[in-house]
Amino acid sequence: MAPKLPPQHPLEHSTATTAGQAHEHDDHHHYGGPGGIKRWLLTTNHKEIGSLYLIFSLSMFFIGGIFALVVRAELFQPGLQLVQPEFFNQMTTMHGLIMVFGAVMPAFVGLANWMIPLQVGAPDMALPRLNNFSFWLLPVAFGLLLSTLFMPGGAPNFGWTFYAPLSTDYGPPSTTFFIFSLHIAGISSILGAINIIATILNMRAPGMRMMDMPLFVWTWLITAFLLIAVMPVLAGVITMMLMDINFGTSFFDAGGGGDPVLFQHLFWFFGHPEVYIMILPAFGIVSAIVPTFARKPLFGYASMVYATASIAILSFLVWVHHMFVVGLPLAAELFFMYTTMLIAVPTGVKVFNWVTTLFRGSITFETPMLFSLAFIVMFTIGGFSGLMLAIVPADFQYHDTYFVVAHFHYVLVPGAIFAIIAGVYYWLPKWTGHYPDERLGRWHFWLSVIGVNLTFFPMHFSGLAGMPRRIPDYALQFADFNMVSSLGGFLFGASQLLFVAVLIKCVRGGEKAPAKAWEGAEDLEWSVPSPAPLHTFETPPDMTSQAPQRH
Amino acid sequence: MTPVQRTVTRTVAALIGMYFFAFALVPLYDVFCQVTGLNGKAANQPRAMSNEGVDTSRYVTVQFITRSSKGLPWELDVMTRQLRVHPGQPTEVEFAFTNKSDSASWGRTVPSVTPSEASLHMRKLTCFCFQEQRIEGGQRVAMPLVFQLTRDLPSEINTVTLVYTLYPVENKDNVSQQVQRTWREGGDA
Ligand code: HEM
Ligand SMILES: [Cu+2]
């Protein structure tokens, strides 16, 4: 990064054409820190670290995406064409792990780094050096994880849920490295969460009460608490696996008195809150974008906060819905069926509030809004298939079929990922000083929407017809659904290249954005110039005088 | 302490707490399951026969499934795959262990009861699963299971399945105090 640049004309400084140059410029004029690679290695600035997280996440998105396309290419036709079943299993596993821990989670942390200080009027994160450390753990963790592909016995092949004893007794030798890399990624998330909590609780501008905070800040605060609560449980589970593999304990080995079902309980006690970790910040982003482009304040701000908190609390009481088929007493199946359905209530409140915000708004359809509207519709489809899965007797049929794959991809791709993309389009003018190319953005949007639905909608049907998940070959009657899914997958993958084109173009230049880049945008980040200078809010803005914008 | 330090201290304390909580869940889970019988583990001690009488008005189907697992060259067969019993009636079933390799090895069988609610009502008077076993290479050994279903078995349970899975045990040959053999020797395989 940051090659030596030719000397610039002083006038060009204010209109620096790449982010790199803009930083270089600020750097030399403000504190003259190290240049080149070292500058990125050592930066403690929340905006630079935010960019690093986002770039890292985007690279992981493409690597994980390539793995998914290997899977879809093999499933294009029945029979084994391209890869061996063992390698196929490594691809599904690595795809899941990389997307969850390497793409979605770091993208949200990146957005948090960039936007939370700007939205609460803080000069930086509360613990800037820790922030640098949390980021640099990630390339280490995922470098290690990817290196398992080249190890003897291959990469992890037991699914992203790494059920023991499949992963302990029957896993490849690289499992120990997988555990180690997950430990490092987990520590990174935990440190990130501590930093975010410390920033939100202590660094708000004077006069900004909790109930004045933008919803992205609120949802991230609650997400950070979820992380603090469940990442240690994940760390505990993988430590137990490590001991089962290397030190002869038998936590999950029935032969030694352990219990494989215990693994599933522990894993899903982490795993279900984890899926909400991947969606709550998305709710926050959409709650910022919808009011902006509807030019109306968000309907039901307080109920949004309470709904988020209830979802977070309920998410600890539903984990068994992933285990309905392990053989549970009727009372337990009923209890977890009802709690799972209960979660749909606060989720429904949110959807209702977004739709009501749109009602009678003067809506315009810029790219961030398009992605947000698609989020609302398609996330709701995913919520409905979730409700179907919550019905115990139905889940006996659906479990471990492509119906589950359809469900969680609807909540994660047009859910979490569309929200991240919407957030990037929304805040790009603040980051680069330029509007993203609207025409390319629309192409990106429409091709993505078509690609996503072609890929995942047929999976509902192949799942209902009984096609099992994580299988490299399938019966002939599933052939048409799979061919459509594969074509859609390649379309979706290819259209993400447009996203990269938009990003590069927007960093390089484009229509200049004013401080308040979108007409209806009200939050604090729009009061600093675009692009946001390296240092903002060094004297905190006074919020006491400001009329309350919410309630 | 600055407010930031206070927040960090509290979150770190919560983190450490949750980490230990995860480990504490292991014994908690075991106790919970022992009390409720919810993970289908039957008692691993012989129980006395109960003399509450036989409920001849009711039949329950009992099925047996046997499985071997990685790393032990044994086979486990059951002579009767399925039978119908009255609650309260003591029943004996014969199992046969075969060591298919040339050398002696140690193993044990781990039982599991489905539905799990039935596990509290499954009284085993004798079971090969209470002990670890050593079988000579190429030998076939027959061993009994004597069980009784208690009369208070919930009335909606009509079928009880017992699964026995074989697991290897590390070689105990030089441990002086050997497990006492209580089974009858069979012929060669
Ligand atoms: C209305 C809300 C939701 C309900 C009722 C619901 C219900 C369920 C149920 C019952 C399952 C288990 C299906 C099975 O394995 O048989 C499941 C799986 C899953 N859900 Fe949801 N869900 C909801 C929302 C979400 C959200 C918001 C996310 C993530 C952003 C999510 C991610 C997942 C994932 C990743 C799995 C599959 C895990 C695996 O086995 O690999 N769900 N959901
Ligand atoms: Cu769940």
Side-chain angles (χ1 to χ4, degrees):
Chain A
M1 277 304 293
K4 273 272 159 286
L5 298 165
Q8 281 186 323
H9 190 276
L11 273 182
E12 275 178 40
H13 275 163
S14 53
T15 59
T17 45
T18 68
Q21 282 170 341
H23 293 317
E24 200 82 355
H25 151 86
D26 287 329
D27 199 34
H28 289 315
H29 286 254
H30 291 300
Y31 53 87
I37 294 276
K38 242 180 144 180
R39 165 205 162 82
W40 288 99
L41 273 175
L42 300 178
T43 178
T44 56
N45 180 284
H46 73 100
K47 302 189 181 80
E48 291 181 343
I49 294 177
S51 304
L52 285 174
Y53 266 109
L54 290 169
I55 294 166
F56 175 80
S57 154
L58 188 65
S59 353
M60 287 298 136
F61 181 56
F62 277 97
I63 294 175
I66 289 169
F67 295 167
L69 292 184
V70 172
V71 168
R72 278 318 328 164
E74 177 56 54
L75 294 175
F76 184 68
Q77 284 181 348
L80 288 180
Q81 281 90 24
L82 298 170
V83 295
Q84 292 306 306
E86 294 75 28
F87 188 67
F88 181 93
N89 289 346
Q90 296 174 28
M91 287 292 101
T92 53
T93 305
M94 293 292 269
H95 162 70
L97 288 170
I98 289 200
M99 287 304 193
V100 168
F101 296 102
V104 174
M105 291 171 67
F108 282 133
V109 182
L111 291 171
N113 260 293
W114 250 105
M115 301 320 298
I116 288 179
L118 286 179
Q119 291 196 322
V120 301
D124 205 311
M125 297 294 280
L127 307 153
R129 271 180 288 182
L130 187 72
N131 204 9
N132 170 291
F133 182 60
S134 332
F135 171 74
W136 284 108
L137 285 176
L138 282 180
V140 176
F142 287 89
L144 194 60
L145 184 61
L146 287 170
S147 73
T148 59
L149 278 167
F150 307 102
M151 289 182 185
N157 55 5
F158 29 69
W160 84 277
T161 51
F162 49 92
Y163 280 9
L166 180 64
S167 55
T168 49
D169 277 0
Y170 303 89
S174 64
T175 307
T176 304
F177 291 93
F178 149 77
I179 291 175
F180 196 45
S181 79
L182 210 53
H183 263 308
I184 302 176
I187 292 172
S188 165
S189 311
I190 285 174
L191 298 180
I194 295 181
N195 215 337
I196 288 169
I197 294 177
T199 308
I200 298 175
L201 294 186
N202 302 302
M203 311 261 297
R204 294 193 309 278
M208 182 185 267
R209 291 157 302 177
M210 294 292 273
M211 288 311 264
D212 296 333
M213 299 191 312
L215 267 170
F216 180 64
V217 179
W218 254 119
T219 51
W220 238 118
L221 180 65
I222 292 168
T223 303
F225 277 113
L226 284 181
L227 282 166
I228 298 288
V230 299
M231 290 312 274
V233 177
L234 173 69
V237 178
I238 57 181
T239 309
M240 291 175 205
M241 279 173 64
L242 190 75
M243 297 203 280
D244 272 9
I245 295 173
N246 297 305
F247 307 122
T249 57
S250 12
F251 284 102
F252 308 126
D253 176 11
D259 194 328
V261 175
L262 172 66
F263 176 89
Q264 296 190 26
H265 280 294
L266 291 177
F267 179 82
W268 288 114
F269 185 77
F270 148 79
H272 187 84
E274 166 68 19
V275 307
Y276 281 97
I277 287 167
M278 293 191 285
I279 203 67
L280 294 184
F283 292 163
I285 296 171
V286 171
S287 303
I289 295 175
V290 167
T292 297
F293 296 96
R295 291 166 182 77
K296 272 177 64 191
L298 184 71
F299 180 85
Y301 169 84
S303 68
M304 284 296 212
V305 173
Y306 296 130
T308 313
S310 345
I311 291 176
I313 292 165
L314 281 174
S315 75
F316 287 103
L317 298 176
V318 301
W319 79 92
V320 172
H321 66 216
H322 296 276
M323 312 169 47
F324 280 149
V325 300
V326 298
L328 298 160
L330 188 65
E333 311 234 72
L334 281 174
F335 175 80
F336 286 103
M337 172 166 104
Y338 289 133
T339 51
T340 302
M341 291 180 166
L342 204 59
I343 285 210
V345 175
T347 314
V349 168
K350 287 182 164 286
V351 175
F352 176 83
N353 285 351
W354 292 319
V355 173
T356 313
T357 307
L358 292 170
F359 184 65
R360 294 197 158 171
S362 36
I363 305 174
T364 50
F365 297 92
E366 286 87 344
T367 316
M369 183 62 159
L370 289 175
F371 275 102
S372 301
L373 294 174
F375 170 95
I376 297 175
V377 175
M378 287 191 265
F379 173 78
T380 307
I381 294 178
F384 282 139
S385 57
L387 277 175
M388 292 171 70
L389 289 166
I391 303 166
V392 176
D395 186 65
F396 286 5
Q397 162 81 11
Y398 304 157
H399 180 67
D400 266 349
T401 69
Y402 261 80
F403 192 81
V404 179
V405 180
H407 157 65
F408 68 76
H409 282 92
Y410 261 89
V411 283
L412 284 171
V413 184
I417 297 210
F418 270 28
I420 292 166
I421 295 177
V424 169
Y425 275 103
Y426 181 59
W427 284 309
L428 263 177
K430 186 53 59 196
W431 301 339
T432 66
H434 309 121
Y435 285 102
D437 186 319
E438 201 46 47
R439 205 173 56 89
L440 271 182
R442 268 161 215 255
W443 274 100
H444 175 215
F445 171 74
W446 285 109
L447 291 177
S448 297
V449 169
I450 295 169
V452 155
N453 285 295
L454 278 181
T455 314
F456 299 116
F457 210 76
M459 289 182 184
H460 290 113
F461 304 123
S462 45
L464 290 181
M467 176 164 164
R469 62 191 284 207
R470 296 172 173 155
I471 290 285
D473 186 8
Y474 49 83
L476 291 179
Q477 70 266 30
F478 307 126
D480 294 346
F481 290 136
N482 275 283
M483 191 173 283
V484 176
S485 285
S486 289
L487 291 172
F490 277 90
L491 175 64
F492 180 76
S495 40
Q496 300 322 302
L497 296 174
L498 282 178
F499 185 41
V500 178
V502 172
L503 292 175
I504 294 177
K505 227 178 139 192
C506 185
V507 169
R508 289 250 182 91
E511 193 192 332
K512 292 264 169 324
K516 183 172 162 177
W518 310 106
E519 190 191 12
E522 302 294 348
D523 289 326
L524 201 51
E525 73 264 28
W526 305 106
S527 67
V528 305
S530 302
L534 197 58
H535 299 284
T536 39
F537 295 130
E538 305 222 277
T539 41
D542 188 5
M543 304 295 288
T544 29
S545 54
Q546 198 151 322
Q549 345 156 341
R550 306 178 205 284
H551 332 297
Chain B
M1 250 207 261
T2 66
V4 171
Q5 281 169 334
R6 198 171 321 122
T7 313
V8 173
T9 321
R10 283 185 193 159
T11 33
V12 171
L15 279 166
I16 296 172
M18 284 309 290
Y19 187 71
F20 286 105
F21 175 64
F23 281 88
L25 285 173
V26 178
L28 286 176
Y29 174 82
D30 278 345
V31 171
F32 179 78
C33 290
Q34 242 162 37
V35 174
T36 58
L38 282 188
N39 59 354
K41 280 187 191 158
N44 53 3
Q45 293 292 326
R47 310 261 301 267
M49 189 181 334
S50 92
N51 295 316
E52 49 183 14
V54 178
D55 178 359
T56 48
S57 66
R58 188 175 163 204
Y59 272 115
V60 179
T61 306
V62 181
Q63 303 175 325
F64 299 97
I65 295 176
T66 55
R67 299 192 303 193
S68 33
S69 85
K70 197 184 74 162
L72 188 66
W74 292 10
E75 212 172 64
L76 177 58
D77 300 303
V78 56
M79 304 310 171
T80 324
R81 292 237 151 247
Q82 176 166 326
L83 44 95
R84 294 193 343 129
V85 299
H86 296 300
Q89 169 194 346
T91 312
E92 177 169 336
V93 182
E94 199 88 338
F95 285 72
F97 289 72
T98 315
N99 183 344
K100 296 196 290 181
S101 75
D102 296 335
S103 52
S105 44
W106 284 84
R108 65 175 293 197
T109 32
V110 176
S112 170
V113 184
T114 307
S116 51
E117 293 98 315
S119 59
L120 290 180
H121 306 278
M122 168 64 70
R123 294 176 80 91
K124 293 184 182 172
L125 316 180
T126 318
C127 182
F128 49 85
C129 58
F130 295 149
Q131 286 148 340
E132 296 168 352
Q133 287 116 26
R134 181 180 191 276
I135 301 184
E136 299 297 331
Q139 262 208 339
R140 183 180 170 88
V141 188
M143 281 178 258
L145 159 72
V146 183
F147 72 92
Q148 196 179 24
L149 284 169
T150 53
R151 291 189 59 167
D152 55 355
L153 181 76
S155 60
E156 72 273 10
I157 297 181
N158 299 314
T159 308
V160 176
T161 309
L162 271 137
V163 182
Y164 286 99
T165 311
L166 278 171
Y167 286 94
V169 175
E170 64 185 280
N171 198 318
K172 293 254 175 81
D173 281 347
N174 29 22
V175 180
S176 52
Q177 165 209 14
Q178 283 207 352
V179 192
Q180 195 206 335
R181 295 210 188 178
T182 51
W183 60 81
R184 283 163 283 174
E185 299 281 336
D188 276 348

